[in-house]
Each structure stands twice: as structure tokens, then as C-alpha cells.
Amino acid sequence: SVQLILTELFTNALKFHPTHAPTVVVDILRNPAVFGTADTITLVVTDDGVNVPTDRLSAVWYPLYQVEKTFTGEVPGMGLGLPLIACLVHEAGGAVQIANRADRPGVRVEVTLPVQAE
């Protein structure tokens, strides 16, 4: 669910922020159908925490993988939050990606989900 996805992203933003006081911005974009595809929405969640080493960005989607563990050896949690998000998004027919912010430290996560007709 979208609520669980956002909860996981907010939890990560708080957990990995240097002072545990992140600024998190959520943008919601509506993407109209193109060439027979369904309408989608994209949730863009941006925080001002720390960057993920570029060579480890793709690994964050693997269960039990913890980027921070390589630096300090200690991190709360099991490394299941982002893999859970990826699973939920893919099961819904969506896509998810993560990137470091270009303008300052922090990450940007884009979650694209099909809009379901009511």
C-alpha cells in the first residue's frame, strides 16, 4: 500500500539522517496514459540526509543489504525496508528507483504506480 511505502521511506529518512531531523519533501505527479498504457502517479520522496555510495545504489533493493553496515558495523533494522517497497511496487505493476540528490546530500526515491479505476 502507498501508506506502507511512505512509512518505510520516512523511517529511512529519519534513521539515516546525521542529526535524525530530516526534511522530507513528497511530490505527487500525475502521468497521463501514453500509447495504450494506464494513467500512473509518481511519488517523488526527497530527503536531506546522506548520499548512498554510487556503487551501492542498486544493492539497496536486495533483502538484508545494509549500506551503513559497511561504515560503522551497526545499524538498526534488518535491511528489509527498501526491498519491501520494491516488492509492493512491482506487485502493483509499478516501478521504483533511487538516486542521490544532485544539489546536496540526500536521496530521491521515485515510485511510479498505475492508477486504479474506482
Side-chain angles (χ1 to χ4, degrees):
S1 81
V2 173
Q3 181 179 356
L4 181 56
I5 291 168
L6 290 174
T7 298
E8 289 293 334
L9 291 174
F10 296 161
T11 299
N12 275 357
L14 180 64
K15 185 183 339 180
F16 296 110
H17 191 271
T19 65
H20 302 289
T23 298
V24 179
V25 176
V26 179
D27 293 308
I28 302 171
L29 311 170
R30 176 90 185 220
N31 312 306
V34 178
F35 302 115
T37 62
D39 286 0
T40 61
I41 59 164
T42 300
L43 305 172
V44 181
V45 180
T46 307
D47 70 44
D48 64 347
V50 296
N51 287 351
V52 174
T54 313
D55 62 331
R56 296 189 180 123
L57 276 170
S58 62
V60 301
W61 305 115
Y62 299 134
L64 308 178
Y65 183 80
Q66 295 176 327
V67 172
E68 182 64 22
K69 190 171 185 175
T70 62
F71 300 121
T72 64
E74 297 180 26
V75 64
M78 296 182 63
L80 295 175
L82 291 177
L84 173 62
I85 290 171
C87 184
L88 290 170
V89 170
H90 291 294
E91 285 291 320
V96 63
Q97 56 187 347
I98 187 171
N100 288 319
R101 289 181 62 164
D103 59 337
R104 61 192 293 177
V107 295
R108 172 186 169 104
V109 178
E110 292 186 17
V111 177
T112 301
L113 297 166
V115 174
Q116 296 178 350
E118 305 221 2

PDB file of all heavy atoms in Angstrom, residues 75-105:
ATOM      1  N   VAL A  75      23.792  -0.856  12.576  1.00  0.00           N
ATOM      2  CA  VAL A  75      22.646  -0.129  12.052  1.00  0.00           C
ATOM      3  C   VAL A  75      21.392  -0.862  12.530  1.00  0.00           C
ATOM      4  O   VAL A  75      21.324  -2.083  12.477  1.00  0.00           O
ATOM      5  CB  VAL A  75      22.690  -0.013  10.503  1.00  0.00           C
ATOM      6  CG1 VAL A  75      22.604  -1.357   9.852  1.00  0.00           C
ATOM      7  CG2 VAL A  75      21.616   0.913   9.988  1.00  0.00           C
ATOM      8  N   PRO A  76      20.420  -0.111  13.053  1.00  0.00           N
ATOM      9  CA  PRO A  76      19.195  -0.781  13.476  1.00  0.00           C
ATOM     10  C   PRO A  76      18.406  -1.269  12.269  1.00  0.00           C
ATOM     11  O   PRO A  76      18.500  -0.699  11.193  1.00  0.00           O
ATOM     12  CB  PRO A  76      18.438   0.312  14.236  1.00  0.00           C
ATOM     13  CG  PRO A  76      18.998   1.597  13.736  1.00  0.00           C
ATOM     14  CD  PRO A  76      20.405   1.318  13.308  1.00  0.00           C
ATOM     15  N   GLY A  77      17.649  -2.299  12.462  1.00  0.00           N
ATOM     16  CA  GLY A  77      16.834  -2.826  11.377  1.00  0.00           C
ATOM     17  C   GLY A  77      17.508  -4.016  10.718  1.00  0.00           C
ATOM     18  O   GLY A  77      18.628  -4.391  11.057  1.00  0.00           O
ATOM     19  N   MET A  78      16.796  -4.588   9.760  1.00  0.00           N
ATOM     20  CA  MET A  78      17.286  -5.806   9.122  1.00  0.00           C
ATOM     21  C   MET A  78      17.612  -5.625   7.649  1.00  0.00           C
ATOM     22  O   MET A  78      17.990  -6.579   6.987  1.00  0.00           O
ATOM     23  CB  MET A  78      16.239  -6.908   9.274  1.00  0.00           C
ATOM     24  CG  MET A  78      16.001  -7.297  10.716  1.00  0.00           C
ATOM     25  SD  MET A  78      14.815  -8.627  10.868  1.00  0.00           S
ATOM     26  CE  MET A  78      15.655  -9.944  10.016  1.00  0.00           C
ATOM     27  N   GLY A  79      17.423  -4.443   7.099  1.00  0.00           N
ATOM     28  CA  GLY A  79      17.676  -4.269   5.678  1.00  0.00           C
ATOM     29  C   GLY A  79      16.544  -4.784   4.819  1.00  0.00           C
ATOM     30  O   GLY A  79      16.761  -5.259   3.713  1.00  0.00           O
ATOM     31  N   LEU A  80      15.309  -4.664   5.326  1.00  0.00           N
ATOM     32  CA  LEU A  80      14.158  -5.160   4.578  1.00  0.00           C
ATOM     33  C   LEU A  80      13.231  -4.059   4.082  1.00  0.00           C
ATOM     34  O   LEU A  80      12.335  -4.328   3.286  1.00  0.00           O
ATOM     35  CB  LEU A  80      13.357  -6.144   5.451  1.00  0.00           C
ATOM     36  CG  LEU A  80      14.086  -7.429   5.811  1.00  0.00           C
ATOM     37  CD1 LEU A  80      13.246  -8.256   6.779  1.00  0.00           C
ATOM     38  CD2 LEU A  80      14.434  -8.228   4.573  1.00  0.00           C
ATOM     39  N   GLY A  81      13.432  -2.817   4.510  1.00  0.00           N
ATOM     40  CA  GLY A  81      12.514  -1.736   4.159  1.00  0.00           C
ATOM     41  C   GLY A  81      12.442  -1.451   2.672  1.00  0.00           C
ATOM     42  O   GLY A  81      11.366  -1.477   2.067  1.00  0.00           O
ATOM     43  N   LEU A  82      13.583  -1.169   2.047  1.00  0.00           N
ATOM     44  CA  LEU A  82      13.571  -0.866   0.616  1.00  0.00           C
ATOM     45  C   LEU A  82      13.210  -2.080  -0.238  1.00  0.00           C
ATOM     46  O   LEU A  82      12.456  -1.937  -1.208  1.00  0.00           O
ATOM     47  CB  LEU A  82      14.903  -0.245   0.185  1.00  0.00           C
ATOM     48  CG  LEU A  82      15.159   1.162   0.740  1.00  0.00           C
ATOM     49  CD1 LEU A  82      16.541   1.661   0.323  1.00  0.00           C
ATOM     50  CD2 LEU A  82      14.089   2.144   0.306  1.00  0.00           C
ATOM     51  N   PRO A  83      13.694  -3.281   0.094  1.00  0.00           N
ATOM     52  CA  PRO A  83      13.223  -4.445  -0.666  1.00  0.00           C
ATOM     53  C   PRO A  83      11.708  -4.660  -0.562  1.00  0.00           C
ATOM     54  O   PRO A  83      11.066  -5.057  -1.530  1.00  0.00           O
ATOM     55  CB  PRO A  83      13.988  -5.619  -0.050  1.00  0.00           C
ATOM     56  CG  PRO A  83      15.231  -4.997   0.483  1.00  0.00           C
ATOM     57  CD  PRO A  83      14.803  -3.641   0.982  1.00  0.00           C
ATOM     58  N   LEU A  84      11.132  -4.366   0.605  1.00  0.00           N
ATOM     59  CA  LEU A  84       9.680  -4.468   0.758  1.00  0.00           C
ATOM     60  C   LEU A  84       8.989  -3.473  -0.170  1.00  0.00           C
ATOM     61  O   LEU A  84       8.007  -3.807  -0.833  1.00  0.00           O
ATOM     62  CB  LEU A  84       9.273  -4.209   2.208  1.00  0.00           C
ATOM     63  CG  LEU A  84       7.771  -4.117   2.471  1.00  0.00           C
ATOM     64  CD1 LEU A  84       7.073  -5.432   2.139  1.00  0.00           C
ATOM     65  CD2 LEU A  84       7.503  -3.723   3.914  1.00  0.00           C
ATOM     66  N   ILE A  85       9.504  -2.255  -0.209  1.00  0.00           N
ATOM     67  CA  ILE A  85       8.940  -1.248  -1.114  1.00  0.00           C
ATOM     68  C   ILE A  85       9.004  -1.744  -2.549  1.00  0.00           C
ATOM     69  O   ILE A  85       8.014  -1.668  -3.291  1.00  0.00           O
ATOM     70  CB  ILE A  85       9.685   0.094  -0.970  1.00  0.00           C
ATOM     71  CG1 ILE A  85       9.360   0.732   0.381  1.00  0.00           C
ATOM     72  CG2 ILE A  85       9.362   1.035  -2.124  1.00  0.00           C
ATOM     73  CD1 ILE A  85      10.216   1.939   0.708  1.00  0.00           C
ATOM     74  N   ALA A  86      10.163  -2.248  -2.966  1.00  0.00           N
ATOM     75  CA  ALA A  86      10.309  -2.735  -4.337  1.00  0.00           C
ATOM     76  C   ALA A  86       9.313  -3.846  -4.633  1.00  0.00           C
ATOM     77  O   ALA A  86       8.686  -3.859  -5.698  1.00  0.00           O
ATOM     78  CB  ALA A  86      11.741  -3.217  -4.572  1.00  0.00           C
ATOM     79  N   CYS A  87       9.138  -4.757  -3.690  1.00  0.00           N
ATOM     80  CA  CYS A  87       8.194  -5.864  -3.875  1.00  0.00           C
ATOM     81  C   CYS A  87       6.761  -5.344  -4.034  1.00  0.00           C
ATOM     82  O   CYS A  87       6.041  -5.747  -4.942  1.00  0.00           O
ATOM     83  CB  CYS A  87       8.295  -6.824  -2.704  1.00  0.00           C
ATOM     84  SG  CYS A  87       7.259  -8.282  -2.866  1.00  0.00           S
ATOM     85  N   LEU A  88       6.351  -4.453  -3.150  1.00  0.00           N
ATOM     86  CA  LEU A  88       4.997  -3.893  -3.216  1.00  0.00           C
ATOM     87  C   LEU A  88       4.761  -3.159  -4.536  1.00  0.00           C
ATOM     88  O   LEU A  88       3.712  -3.304  -5.171  1.00  0.00           O
ATOM     89  CB  LEU A  88       4.759  -2.933  -2.049  1.00  0.00           C
ATOM     90  CG  LEU A  88       4.652  -3.559  -0.661  1.00  0.00           C
ATOM     91  CD1 LEU A  88       4.660  -2.467   0.409  1.00  0.00           C
ATOM     92  CD2 LEU A  88       3.391  -4.404  -0.552  1.00  0.00           C
ATOM     93  N   VAL A  89       5.730  -2.373  -4.946  1.00  0.00           N
ATOM     94  CA  VAL A  89       5.596  -1.584  -6.173  1.00  0.00           C
ATOM     95  C   VAL A  89       5.526  -2.496  -7.393  1.00  0.00           C
ATOM     96  O   VAL A  89       4.667  -2.323  -8.263  1.00  0.00           O
ATOM     97  CB  VAL A  89       6.754  -0.566  -6.285  1.00  0.00           C
ATOM     98  CG1 VAL A  89       6.771   0.087  -7.661  1.00  0.00           C
ATOM     99  CG2 VAL A  89       6.640   0.491  -5.193  1.00  0.00           C
ATOM    100  N   HIS A  90       6.410  -3.474  -7.468  1.00  0.00           N
ATOM    101  CA  HIS A  90       6.415  -4.373  -8.625  1.00  0.00           C
ATOM    102  C   HIS A  90       5.155  -5.231  -8.678  1.00  0.00           C
ATOM    103  O   HIS A  90       4.621  -5.479  -9.758  1.00  0.00           O
ATOM    104  CB  HIS A  90       7.682  -5.225  -8.635  1.00  0.00           C
ATOM    105  CG  HIS A  90       8.908  -4.422  -8.926  1.00  0.00           C
ATOM    106  ND1 HIS A  90       9.152  -3.800 -10.127  1.00  0.00           N
ATOM    107  CD2 HIS A  90       9.954  -4.104  -8.124  1.00  0.00           C
ATOM    108  CE1 HIS A  90      10.299  -3.146 -10.067  1.00  0.00           C
ATOM    109  NE2 HIS A  90      10.809  -3.304  -8.861  1.00  0.00           N
ATOM    110  N   GLU A  91       4.655  -5.667  -7.511  1.00  0.00           N
ATOM    111  CA  GLU A  91       3.404  -6.438  -7.473  1.00  0.00           C
ATOM    112  C   GLU A  91       2.227  -5.607  -7.984  1.00  0.00           C
ATOM    113  O   GLU A  91       1.281  -6.153  -8.548  1.00  0.00           O
ATOM    114  CB  GLU A  91       3.115  -6.925  -6.056  1.00  0.00           C
ATOM    115  CG  GLU A  91       3.983  -8.081  -5.621  1.00  0.00           C
ATOM    116  CD  GLU A  91       3.668  -9.368  -6.370  1.00  0.00           C
ATOM    117  OE1 GLU A  91       2.480  -9.651  -6.605  1.00  0.00           O
ATOM    118  OE2 GLU A  91       4.622 -10.073  -6.735  1.00  0.00           O
ATOM    119  N   ALA A  92       2.285  -4.301  -7.790  1.00  0.00           N
ATOM    120  CA  ALA A  92       1.213  -3.417  -8.250  1.00  0.00           C
ATOM    121  C   ALA A  92       1.389  -3.021  -9.716  1.00  0.00           C
ATOM    122  O   ALA A  92       0.576  -2.277 -10.259  1.00  0.00           O
ATOM    123  CB  ALA A  92       1.166  -2.163  -7.374  1.00  0.00           C
ATOM    124  N   GLY A  93       2.461  -3.496 -10.351  1.00  0.00           N
ATOM    125  CA  GLY A  93       2.700  -3.155 -11.756  1.00  0.00           C
ATOM    126  C   GLY A  93       3.427  -1.843 -11.934  1.00  0.00           C
ATOM    127  O   GLY A  93       3.382  -1.245 -13.000  1.00  0.00           O
ATOM    128  N   GLY A  94       4.120  -1.394 -10.889  1.00  0.00           N
ATOM    129  CA  GLY A  94       4.818  -0.117 -10.943  1.00  0.00           C
ATOM    130  C   GLY A  94       6.323  -0.269 -11.063  1.00  0.00           C
ATOM    131  O   GLY A  94       6.837  -1.351 -11.344  1.00  0.00           O
ATOM    132  N   ALA A  95       7.001   0.828 -10.826  1.00  0.00           N
ATOM    133  CA  ALA A  95       8.463   0.868 -10.894  1.00  0.00           C
ATOM    134  C   ALA A  95       8.979   1.765  -9.785  1.00  0.00           C
ATOM    135  O   ALA A  95       8.296   2.707  -9.358  1.00  0.00           O
ATOM    136  CB  ALA A  95       8.914   1.388 -12.250  1.00  0.00           C
ATOM    137  N   VAL A  96      10.187   1.489  -9.324  1.00  0.00           N
ATOM    138  CA  VAL A  96      10.797   2.294  -8.269  1.00  0.00           C
ATOM    139  C   VAL A  96      12.272   2.480  -8.589  1.00  0.00           C
ATOM    140  O   VAL A  96      12.915   1.588  -9.154  1.00  0.00           O
ATOM    141  CB  VAL A  96      10.591   1.637  -6.878  1.00  0.00           C
ATOM    142  CG1 VAL A  96      11.262   0.291  -6.796  1.00  0.00           C
ATOM    143  CG2 VAL A  96      11.061   2.544  -5.765  1.00  0.00           C
ATOM    144  N   GLN A  97      12.782   3.650  -8.269  1.00  0.00           N
ATOM    145  CA  GLN A  97      14.204   3.912  -8.458  1.00  0.00           C
ATOM    146  C   GLN A  97      14.696   4.865  -7.382  1.00  0.00           C
ATOM    147  O   GLN A  97      13.922   5.634  -6.815  1.00  0.00           O
ATOM    148  CB  GLN A  97      14.497   4.448  -9.845  1.00  0.00           C
ATOM    149  CG  GLN A  97      13.740   5.692 -10.231  1.00  0.00           C
ATOM    150  CD  GLN A  97      13.968   6.069 -11.687  1.00  0.00           C
ATOM    151  OE1 GLN A  97      14.848   5.561 -12.353  1.00  0.00           O
ATOM    152  NE2 GLN A  97      13.168   6.986 -12.182  1.00  0.00           N
ATOM    153  N   ILE A  98      15.985   4.784  -7.106  1.00  0.00           N
ATOM    154  CA  ILE A  98      16.610   5.634  -6.098  1.00  0.00           C
ATOM    155  C   ILE A  98      17.841   6.279  -6.718  1.00  0.00           C
ATOM    156  O   ILE A  98      18.520   5.660  -7.550  1.00  0.00           O
ATOM    157  CB  ILE A  98      16.983   4.831  -4.833  1.00  0.00           C
ATOM    158  CG1 ILE A  98      17.469   5.748  -3.704  1.00  0.00           C
ATOM    159  CG2 ILE A  98      18.006   3.758  -5.152  1.00  0.00           C
ATOM    160  CD1 ILE A  98      17.649   5.058  -2.371  1.00  0.00           C
ATOM    161  N   ALA A  99      18.102   7.510  -6.315  1.00  0.00           N
ATOM    162  CA  ALA A  99      19.291   8.225  -6.786  1.00  0.00           C
ATOM    163  C   ALA A  99      19.726   9.200  -5.705  1.00  0.00           C
ATOM    164  O   ALA A  99      18.914   9.637  -4.888  1.00  0.00           O
ATOM    165  CB  ALA A  99      18.987   8.978  -8.081  1.00  0.00           C
ATOM    166  N   ASN A 100      20.994   9.516  -5.708  1.00  0.00           N
ATOM    167  CA  ASN A 100      21.473  10.562  -4.826  1.00  0.00           C
ATOM    168  C   ASN A 100      21.019  11.909  -5.364  1.00  0.00           C
ATOM    169  O   ASN A 100      20.895  12.094  -6.580  1.00  0.00           O
ATOM    170  CB  ASN A 100      23.007  10.532  -4.743  1.00  0.00           C
ATOM    171  CG  ASN A 100      23.504   9.355  -3.955  1.00  0.00           C
ATOM    172  OD1 ASN A 100      22.951   9.005  -2.920  1.00  0.00           O
ATOM    173  ND2 ASN A 100      24.557   8.710  -4.437  1.00  0.00           N
ATOM    174  N   ARG A 101      20.763  12.836  -4.462  1.00  0.00           N
ATOM    175  CA  ARG A 101      20.412  14.189  -4.889  1.00  0.00           C
ATOM    176  C   ARG A 101      21.620  14.814  -5.579  1.00  0.00           C
ATOM    177  O   ARG A 101      22.763  14.594  -5.185  1.00  0.00           O
ATOM    178  CB  ARG A 101      20.022  15.038  -3.691  1.00  0.00           C
ATOM    179  CG  ARG A 101      18.689  14.634  -3.101  1.00  0.00           C
ATOM    180  CD  ARG A 101      18.317  15.498  -1.948  1.00  0.00           C
ATOM    181  NE  ARG A 101      18.166  16.892  -2.360  1.00  0.00           N
ATOM    182  CZ  ARG A 101      17.558  17.806  -1.627  1.00  0.00           C
ATOM    183  NH1 ARG A 101      17.042  17.485  -0.463  1.00  0.00           N
ATOM    184  NH2 ARG A 101      17.460  19.041  -2.048  1.00  0.00           N
ATOM    185  N   ALA A 102      21.365  15.594  -6.596  1.00  0.00           N
ATOM    186  CA  ALA A 102      22.449  16.260  -7.323  1.00  0.00           C
ATOM    187  C   ALA A 102      22.851  17.566  -6.652  1.00  0.00           C
ATOM    188  O   ALA A 102      23.997  17.999  -6.760  1.00  0.00           O
ATOM    189  CB  ALA A 102      22.019  16.526  -8.765  1.00  0.00           C
ATOM    190  N   ASP A 103      21.916  18.189  -5.922  1.00  0.00           N
ATOM    191  CA  ASP A 103      22.146  19.529  -5.392  1.00  0.00           C
ATOM    192  C   ASP A 103      22.721  19.552  -3.987  1.00  0.00           C
ATOM    193  O   ASP A 103      23.247  20.569  -3.554  1.00  0.00           O
ATOM    194  CB  ASP A 103      20.852  20.338  -5.430  1.00  0.00           C
ATOM    195  CG  ASP A 103      19.724  19.696  -4.630  1.00  0.00           C
ATOM    196  OD1 ASP A 103      19.759  18.471  -4.409  1.00  0.00           O
ATOM    197  OD2 ASP A 103      18.794  20.419  -4.230  1.00  0.00           O
ATOM    198  N   ARG A 104      22.623  18.447  -3.244  1.00  0.00           N
ATOM    199  CA  ARG A 104      23.085  18.396  -1.860  1.00  0.00           C
ATOM    200  C   ARG A 104      23.011  16.955  -1.362  1.00  0.00           C
ATOM    201  O   ARG A 104      22.457  16.111  -2.042  1.00  0.00           O
ATOM    202  CB  ARG A 104      22.239  19.320  -0.984  1.00  0.00           C
ATOM    203  CG  ARG A 104      20.771  18.919  -0.966  1.00  0.00           C
ATOM    204  CD  ARG A 104      19.849  19.926  -0.369  1.00  0.00           C
ATOM    205  NE  ARG A 104      20.105  20.077   1.037  1.00  0.00           N
ATOM    206  CZ  ARG A 104      19.483  20.935   1.815  1.00  0.00           C
ATOM    207  NH1 ARG A 104      18.551  21.711   1.300  1.00  0.00           N
ATOM    208  NH2 ARG A 104      19.755  21.028   3.087  1.00  0.00           N
ATOM    209  N   PRO A 105      23.504  16.665  -0.168  1.00  0.00           N
ATOM    210  CA  PRO A 105      23.387  15.299   0.347  1.00  0.00           C
ATOM    211  C   PRO A 105      21.921  14.892   0.523  1.00  0.00           C
ATOM    212  O   PRO A 105      21.062  15.726   0.795  1.00  0.00           O
ATOM    213  CB  PRO A 105      24.089  15.371   1.705  1.00  0.00           C
ATOM    214  CG  PRO A 105      25.058  16.502   1.573  1.00  0.00           C
ATOM    215  CD  PRO A 105      24.339  17.505   0.697  1.00  0.00           C
TER     216      PRO A 105
END
